Amino acid sequence: MVKVIFFDIDGTLVSLKTHRMPESTHSALQQLRDKGIKIVICSGRPMCLIDNLEGENFDGYITVNGAICQIGDNIVYKHALPQSEVQNWINYSHANKVDGCMITLDSVYINRVSPAAVQFFEILNYPLPPVKDFRELSDTPIFQIVGLISKEQEMHAKAAMPGCTFKRWHPLFTDIIMGENNKSLGMRSMLKHMGIDRSDCMAFGDGDNDLEMLDYAGIGIAMGNSDDEVHAHADYVTTDCEDDGILNALKHFKIL
């Protein structure tokens, strides 16, 4: 019996093409609430960048790929990157003149206004955040780094940051997180707090950073707009986000 459903945001709840949530998804979320099924965000975005849910409220938020979990203002789990790995990124990005974002508990910073940064935040449909020399953040808890780097550059960054995991959900950038952190760890923490077994949960996702989430859920659903690797980790592949993918899957499993 499904008691809680975890949702990625970009490409899942919200279209990467229109930056809007389909009306069918709004309807599905309300029907889930009416049935008493909890709904939880499970995103690579930090809370301060979640501005595209169009007034929808959720029972919990797993953010920065599982590094922070909260219900309301209550943080039930958080795990920052090791300071040594943060320093490795600072050294790597400074030496190689690459761009990125650093995410603290309540803020996001970029190291410069570059074409890569502009494009990244256009994809997120979000204004450019403040610029800060990353060396000024060496003593600040960092929960996620976004490398605005190519796949080729990523190979060199991985060698410089051996304790981190790289999760790419777009050709232009990659999320850099604590080695053992991922969305499934966030789900585990949230389910424990809610007193719900993993067999009673469902998850929707579309990117490489959703693979562990889909594997861990009792039922993992890949959006039709995701690639073959994501499909391989899912129990079911629904239609595209824009083609009522959320609602169609919930109907398929007779939840709605």
Side-chain angles (χ1 to χ4, degrees):
M1 177 181 176
V2 174
K3 297 179 181 178
V4 58
I5 303 179
F6 297 89
F7 295 95
D8 172 55
I9 298 177
D10 300 288
T12 300
L13 283 176
V14 177
S15 168
L16 285 171
K17 298 176 182 177
T18 66
H19 304 296
R20 298 299 307 274
M21 187 181 295
E23 284 304 316
S24 63
T25 300
H26 282 292
S27 175
L29 294 175
Q30 186 57 53
Q31 291 179 66
L32 291 173
R33 291 190 196 95
D34 293 343
K35 292 175 73 70
I37 296 173
K38 294 183 181 298
I39 53 176
V40 176
I41 289 296
C42 197
S43 175
R45 290 190 185 223
M47 280 296 292
C48 59
L49 291 188
I50 297 179
D51 68 336
N52 57 347
L53 298 180
E54 301 181 356
E56 296 287 356
N57 294 312
F58 291 79
D59 296 290
Y61 295 82
I62 298 169
T63 59
V64 284
N65 288 302
I68 302 173
C69 304
Q70 65 188 88
I71 296 175
D73 293 328
N74 179 32
I75 294 179
V76 300
Y77 172 83
K78 63 179 180 178
H79 195 168
L81 285 160
Q83 289 302 119
S84 59
E85 293 291 9
V86 173
Q87 190 61 54
N88 286 340
W89 169 259
I90 292 171
N91 295 340
Y92 169 80
S93 62
H94 186 69
N96 293 278
K97 296 181 172 56
V98 299
D99 303 316
C101 310
M102 290 181 62
I103 298 169
T104 69
L105 187 60
D106 53 14
S107 301
V108 176
Y109 300 99
I110 55 176
N111 57 327
R112 63 175 180 149
V113 177
S114 65
V118 170
Q119 190 169 15
F120 174 64
F121 284 95
E122 283 180 350
I123 290 168
L124 295 184
N125 195 35
Y126 195 88
L128 281 172
V131 174
K132 187 178 284 289
D133 187 328
F134 285 165
R135 291 170 291 186
E136 297 177 24
L137 297 171
S138 59
D139 295 324
T140 302
I142 302 296
F143 290 87
Q144 182 168 287
I145 296 167
V146 181
L148 305 179
I149 54 179
S150 67
K151 289 185 177 181
E152 182 180 0
Q153 289 172 310
E154 183 178 326
M155 295 174 59
H156 300 291
K158 283 181 176 179
M161 304 177 72
C164 291
T165 298
F166 288 64
K167 292 291 182 182
R168 182 173 292 273
W169 57 275
H170 193 280
L172 299 177
F173 48 84
T174 184
D175 293 339
I176 305 170
I177 57 179
M178 179 70 183
E180 65 266 28
N181 268 359
N182 58 58
K183 290 187 177 184
S184 71
L185 183 62
M187 291 169 66
R188 193 175 296 117
S189 300
M190 189 67 75
L191 289 169
K192 181 179 179 180
H193 186 82
M194 291 179 167
I196 297 174
D197 190 81
R198 63 182 287 195
S199 63
D200 294 326
C201 79
M202 174 181 279
F204 285 82
D206 74 305
D208 287 355
N209 62 337
D210 295 319
L211 302 184
E212 292 88 355
M213 176 176 77
L214 298 178
D215 287 336
Y216 184 76
I219 302 173
I221 299 173
M223 304 304 292
N225 42 276
S226 57
D227 63 27
D228 290 343
E229 183 178 6
V230 180
H231 295 178
H233 286 259
D235 298 297
Y236 179 74
V237 179
T238 186
T239 52
D240 290 7
C241 169
E242 300 85 2
D243 190 24
D244 305 331
I246 300 288
L247 182 61
N248 288 339
L250 294 172
K251 286 182 175 179
H252 172 83
F253 284 97
K254 297 182 170 53
I255 294 171
L256 298 182

